[in-house]
Amino acid sequence: MRLTTKGRYAVTAMLDLSLNYGVGAITLADISERQGISLSYLEQLFARLRKQGLVSSSRGPGGGYRLSRAADTITVLDVISAVDEKVDSTQCEGRQNCHGHEQCLSHELWQSLSDQIRVYLDGITLAQVVSNFEKSRNGEKVIAFDMI
């Protein structure tokens, strides 16, 4: 599995919103500046995130984006899936035709890995990532995520 820039940027932008949850609407220009992500790319990502109900937007002065629900209810998998990122370690993208038109010898191994990655990412909320970030920022050692 290779997580592309699209998935990484979407997670990063959502974490930025999580850090600022409760402050009010956050503009994409602010996220762009803080995270070093192209504004036009963020616009594309947020269109998908809004369509999937993960963020809400408001227009006009003081407008911008905010999480549509609490950060402890949005998982990393929710974000990655919202931007159409695939979490798949198989060569055949799960179609079981990796060896010509048949399943290869290692298909089940890679399928199982994909399943484990999905379970792992579905067990980590944005709030947990932010909490670990803040702990590490304060000099606390962070070893792993506490799974839900």
Side-chain angles (χ1 to χ4, degrees):
M1 182 204 109
R2 185 175 186 285
L3 190 60
T4 67
T5 304
K6 178 171 54 174
R8 291 179 191 277
Y9 282 179
V11 170
T12 299
M14 290 292 284
L15 291 170
D16 189 291
L17 284 183
S18 299
L19 278 168
N20 295 292
Y21 187 69
V23 173
I26 307 297
T27 67
L28 294 183
D30 288 341
I31 295 172
S32 174
E33 185 177 317
R34 283 192 294 262
Q35 304 305 326
I37 303 170
S38 155
L39 180 57
S40 61
Y41 201 66
L42 283 172
E43 289 169 348
Q44 294 171 35
L45 293 175
F46 272 74
R48 291 178 179 190
L49 293 167
R50 189 169 47 83
K51 185 177 180 182
Q52 294 301 316
L54 296 180
V55 297
S56 59
S57 63
S58 55
R59 295 179 186 228
Y65 287 88
R66 59 186 63 165
L67 297 179
S68 62
R69 56 185 198 260
D72 64 355
T73 66
I74 300 174
T75 69
V76 174
L77 185 63
D78 292 336
V79 176
I80 290 171
S81 298
V83 295
D84 297 325
E85 187 77 331
K86 304 289 185 249
V87 181
D88 185 4
S89 299
T90 64
Q91 181 180 351
C92 63
E93 298 179 349
R95 292 187 300 264
Q96 299 183 4
N97 63 351
C98 13
H99 188 67
H101 294 290
E102 297 178 14
Q103 183 174 306
C104 69
L105 288 172
S106 58
H107 178 84
E108 290 303 321
L109 170 68
W110 305 124
Q111 184 62 54
S112 179
L113 176 60
S114 297
D115 295 343
Q116 291 299 313
I117 291 169
R118 271 191 290 281
V119 167
Y120 178 72
L121 296 176
D122 197 37
I124 300 172
T125 66
L126 297 178
Q128 288 173 300
V129 178
V130 167
S131 174
N132 279 6
F133 171 77
E134 290 172 339
K135 286 177 185 175
S136 68
R137 188 188 233 178
N138 293 328
E140 296 178 47
K141 186 170 182 161
V142 177
I143 298 173
F145 287 96
D146 294 326
M147 299 306 286
I148 296 174

